Amino acid sequence: MYHGTARSIILALPIAASALLINSLPARADEAKKQFAGYTKYVSYHAHYDVNSDGTDVETNATALKVLSEQGVAQAQTTSVTFSDRLQTMEVLSAYTLKQDGRKINVPPTNFQDETNTGKGTAAPMFSDMRTKTVAYPDVAVGDTVVLSYKLTQKEATFPGNFSMLQSFSKFQVYDEVQVSLSSPASLELHVFQRGVEGGEAPSSHGRHNWAWSYKNQQVATPETGSVSPLDYGPLIVATTFQDYGALAAAYDARAKTKSVQTDRIKKLANDLTQNAHTPREQAKALYDWVSQNIKFAGYCVGAGEVVPHDADVVLANKMGDCKDHTTLLQALLATRGIASTPTLINSGDAYTLPEAPCIQAFNHVISYIPSLGLYADSTSSYTPFGSLPIGDTGKPVVRTIDFKGIQHTPMPDWKDHGSNSTTVMKINVDGSGEGETEIDSKGEIADWTRYDMTYLQPNMEDSMVRRALAANGFTGTGTLVKDDVKVIADTYKYGSKYKISDAINLPGPGAMYIQSPFDGAGGIARFLADAGQPDPTVDFVCSSGYARNEVTISLPKDVKVMAVPRNVEVKGKYQTYKATYQLKGGTVTAVREIEDRTPGPVCAPSVAADYKKFAVGLRKDLRAQLLYQ
């Protein structure tokens, strides 16, 4: 059981260290926890929506954020508002710093910055209609309050004749006062879902229906590593004209279906790419591979701004597009082979549920579904092979925008699909130096991450990479890196190193050494301990399963006598099994460590973390075991 991204390992280390300090000073920690009120707090947060009969609206937003500490100054100095440049206009009504002594310092015109039509990375402007206005407040200090009021006018409904809005709040932020209100014509039927807020429908007036909600939170919760999105459990307000998710799917399809036209250029490309592919799956793979490797992922997807993809031929001509464009081009290419596909709405973040009232803001991504093959594909992930999904797309509720048959879910991978197998053979010389070779065969998401890292490793940095890996495991040496071609997108990725180390062990003895790889340490086993030292969670968290196998063979000089090797170990948890065997044959020691984690995901309850901590104790002890020699 480890959290969904292995890249959280480095970030988790300072938190774990803090946890140890807190545990050593329980009285002071409890006192500090009671007194901590956050770095900033919202003195007030007001949002009002005036909805029109055609689905457009005017949103007025006013916030007052107070700085409580020096750490909060940087958080409060700037505020950014992002909106659709094509669908909306934004007007700042007021912006100023309210000093602690009551003075008001207005934000000068020079402190407003516009960032217009920028996509992801180096994306061309045409692939994003988003605009960001940033306000920089003058002379902000502890005790001051930054105040911003602005108006967003929807010029054109995202979906003609329809309206939807979502407001969510975090328990990791203090709110003294939240007021959200909405007014809509009586002719416009709204479906409302609310959770964790007060209020609801208010008296009607002047032929309009009204709603008003309030919320406050005056105690900051401690951030929890890997927790699911507040959209799954936190205070939430949704108002929408969509009766159900089928209506939302139909609205998306109405705007997107004319974009996947099979032009002559698209037909020719599909013919060229599939000339050696005979089955529908082989053809679909060839087309997916080309799109994922040749169409640059750029721009925003869904949830805010434009929901209409560009014409497939335009995407092909530019070789660039956002997630909607990716699915549209792939849809057109597949159709030339008689393979139907449907754009599919998904939240690729840490949200694993959908609110009862459907709204486009609950989604931030679009992927493809191929009914005849029964599989999903995300061509925006250039490191994920056909037939698999990035880990952020797995186990998610989705809305297929064509032939809607209710909320579906993307599959969860089997634990056997994600892991690594590390093999190390090392020879120790009579002077204590050594030479060895390590080979790591990764699979699934581990392979995807590794391939990504290797893609951006410059050839002239490979020597430094090996040196750093050896140093990280306590050794000094040099070596060469051996790796698979990063351009071959497959479910597995293999890499490793041949190295020489100057200080493998201390000779002459006696001495002790960890039985681990100089290049890979404890191998993939270590990632299963990355989150075991975190404080006990209070909300559900994102979890994953997988496996790791680590085999290390060390040959010692003839005149070195092994006094003891670690004992064989087997540790079992609720969903995990760990086995370690140690064998001494002549002067050669072989250690084999294996872990199988069958944790059902993608979301785990806090009790699962408590069970895992007990299992991790035995695992951690064994990784500290040493070989004794003289």
Side-chain angles (χ1 to χ4, degrees):
M1 188 282 306
Y2 58 98
H3 292 151
T5 56
R7 299 184 192 280
S8 67
I9 292 175
I10 295 176
L11 297 177
L13 293 178
I15 299 174
S18 298
L20 292 176
L21 177 61
I22 290 172
N23 290 335
S24 67
L25 300 170
R28 291 185 180 179
D30 288 345
E31 182 180 352
K33 185 176 181 181
K34 292 177 183 177
Q35 294 176 349
F36 180 65
Y39 299 135
T40 61
K41 75 170 181 176
Y42 279 98
V43 177
S44 62
Y45 176 97
H46 294 171
H48 176 73
Y49 297 83
D50 267 318
V51 185
N52 302 314
S53 58
D54 61 357
T56 61
D57 72 284
V58 177
E59 175 190 350
T60 305
N61 193 292
T63 60
L65 183 69
K66 184 173 183 178
V67 180
L68 303 179
S69 68
E70 289 292 343
Q71 296 93 329
V73 172
Q75 296 178 10
Q77 279 180 324
T78 61
T79 299
S80 295
V81 179
T82 299
F83 57 99
S84 169
D85 196 27
R86 197 183 75 79
L87 300 181
Q88 298 169 308
T89 60
M90 188 252 192
E91 177 187 0
V92 175
L93 303 178
S94 64
Y96 57 89
T97 301
L98 181 61
K99 299 296 291 181
Q100 193 170 13
D101 60 10
R103 289 179 295 123
K104 181 193 294 187
I105 306 176
N106 289 318
V107 175
T110 54
N111 284 30
F112 293 92
Q113 178 180 343
D114 271 318
E115 189 177 8
T116 306
N117 288 339
T118 56
K120 181 175 181 179
T122 57
M126 67 172 288
F127 288 99
S128 173
D129 71 329
M130 303 309 292
R131 180 175 179 176
T132 299
K133 183 177 284 292
T134 299
V135 181
Y137 301 95
D139 192 18
V140 179
V142 176
D144 295 345
T145 300
V146 295
V147 179
L148 174 66
S149 176
Y150 63 90
K151 181 169 66 174
L152 279 176
T153 301
Q154 191 85 13
K155 299 180 292 184
E156 176 188 333
T158 304
F159 296 105
N162 286 287
F163 166 82
S164 69
M165 76 87 168
L166 181 151
Q167 286 273 351
S168 64
F169 304 95
S170 171
K171 68 177 185 177
F172 305 120
Q173 177 67 56
V174 170
Y175 296 90
D176 282 349
E177 178 206 14
V178 170
Q179 299 290 337
V180 178
S181 56
L182 184 149
S183 177
S184 69
S187 59
L188 200 65
E189 183 181 0
L190 286 185
H191 304 275
V192 174
F193 171 74
Q194 65 186 71
R195 180 181 64 212
V197 297
E198 300 294 329
E201 190 165 4
S204 301
S205 61
H206 307 292
R208 297 179 69 84
H209 287 166
N210 301 306
W211 286 263
W213 300 273
S214 62
Y215 169 73
K216 64 180 179 179
N217 177 46
Q218 296 182 318
Q219 183 175 1
V220 178
T222 302
E224 298 177 10
T225 301
S227 62
V228 296
S229 168
L231 291 175
D232 288 352
Y233 65 87
L236 188 69
I237 304 168
V238 177
T240 176
T241 56
F242 293 113
Q243 184 175 2
D244 53 33
Y245 280 99
L248 177 59
Y252 182 92
D253 182 52
R255 307 212 71 182
K257 63 183 178 182
T258 61
K259 300 298 182 177
S260 57
V261 176
Q262 304 167 44
T263 63
D264 290 341
R265 178 162 46 182
I266 286 176
K267 291 177 182 178
K268 182 180 184 307
L269 175 62
N271 288 335
D272 292 344
L273 294 173
T274 60
Q275 58 183 341
N276 296 320
H278 305 293
T279 68
R281 186 181 179 95
E282 289 174 346
Q283 293 172 347
K285 179 182 183 302
L287 298 173
Y288 165 88
D289 286 350
W290 189 89
V291 173
S292 69
Q293 297 303 304
N294 292 278
I295 303 299
K296 180 181 177 63
F297 177 40
Y300 289 83
C301 284
V302 295
E306 183 63 82
V307 295
V308 183
H310 293 88
D311 290 332
D313 207 46
V314 172
V315 179
L316 178 57
N318 286 274
K319 288 193 174 180
M320 181 183 293
D322 67 10
C323 62
K324 303 184 297 293
D325 301 324
H326 268 252
T327 58
T328 296
L329 176 57
L330 185 57
Q331 184 180 11
L333 289 168
L334 289 169
T336 68
R337 306 294 87 188
I339 303 172
S341 65
T342 173
T344 301
L345 301 175
I346 188 173
N347 188 312
S348 62
D350 291 331
Y352 287 82
T353 63
L354 293 175
E356 292 180 17
C359 62
I360 190 62
Q361 292 87 354
F363 304 96
N364 62 9
H365 196 41
V366 185
I367 61 176
S368 302
Y369 178 67
I370 306 176
S372 60
L373 301 179
L375 59 81
Y376 294 90
D378 187 348
S379 61
T380 67
S381 177
S382 59
Y383 305 97
T384 302
F386 182 72
S388 299
L389 284 173
I391 194 66
D393 291 351
T394 60
K396 295 293 184 67
V398 295
V399 170
R400 301 175 191 164
T401 61
I402 301 174
D403 194 24
F404 178 79
K405 290 185 173 65
I407 302 297
Q408 306 295 319
H409 285 77
T410 55
M412 275 298 295
D414 189 89
W415 67 271
K416 295 179 182 178
D417 295 333
H418 295 292
S420 63
N421 190 338
S422 172
T423 303
T424 295
V425 177
M426 184 168 63
K427 177 185 176 183
I428 306 297
N429 301 316
V430 293
D431 61 355
S433 64
E435 51 195 70
E437 179 177 357
T438 297
E439 183 177 271
I440 304 165
D441 194 355
S442 56
K443 185 177 181 183
E445 60 175 311
I446 311 301
D448 296 347
W449 294 334
T450 306
R451 186 181 296 109
Y452 175 88
D453 290 339
M454 292 299 178
T455 298
Y456 293 97
L457 179 65
Q458 299 177 14
N460 62 349
M461 294 298 292
E462 291 185 1
D463 175 70
S464 296
M465 182 266 193
V466 174
R467 290 174 183 267
R468 289 196 304 270
L470 296 175
N473 293 298
F475 298 96
T476 301
T478 60
T480 58
L481 186 67
V482 181
K483 57 187 174 67
D484 283 351
D485 185 351
V486 295
K487 295 181 179 179
V488 177
I489 307 302
D491 192 42
T492 60
Y493 188 83
K494 186 181 295 184
Y495 75 105
S497 176
K498 295 181 179 180
Y499 44 83
K500 293 183 179 180
I501 48 183
S502 59
D503 53 355
I505 65 173
N506 294 329
L507 287 179
M513 66 178 296
Y514 293 109
I515 308 176
Q516 63 178 18
S517 166
F519 178 75
D520 190 38
I525 304 288
R527 78 174 185 273
F528 291 88
L529 289 172
D531 299 306
Q534 296 298 312
D536 294 334
T538 61
V539 299
D540 292 351
F541 59 94
V542 183
C543 55
S544 300
S545 58
Y547 71 88
R549 185 179 187 277
N550 178 222
E551 180 175 336
V552 179
T553 300
I554 302 174
S555 297
L556 298 165
K558 292 182 180 180
D559 58 349
V560 174
K561 182 179 180 181
V562 175
M563 305 301 296
V565 296
R567 293 177 294 180
N568 295 343
V569 170
E570 182 171 353
V571 182
K572 290 188 176 182
K574 186 175 182 179
Y575 301 112
Q576 302 83 18
T577 301
Y578 172 75
K579 294 180 180 179
T581 59
Y582 302 91
Q583 183 180 37
L584 175 62
K585 187 174 182 179
T588 299
V589 177
T590 300
V592 179
R593 302 181 178 99
E594 299 175 276
I595 185 169
E596 296 177 356
D597 186 344
R598 299 177 175 85
T599 302
V603 176
C604 288
S607 60
V608 175
D611 291 333
Y612 189 79
K613 284 188 175 184
K614 298 175 184 177
F615 165 77
V617 171
L619 174 58
R620 187 180 292 107
K621 284 182 178 179
D622 184 67
L623 293 182
R624 293 172 179 164
Q626 294 178 298
L627 177 150
L628 304 180
Y629 63 90
Q630 70 174 18

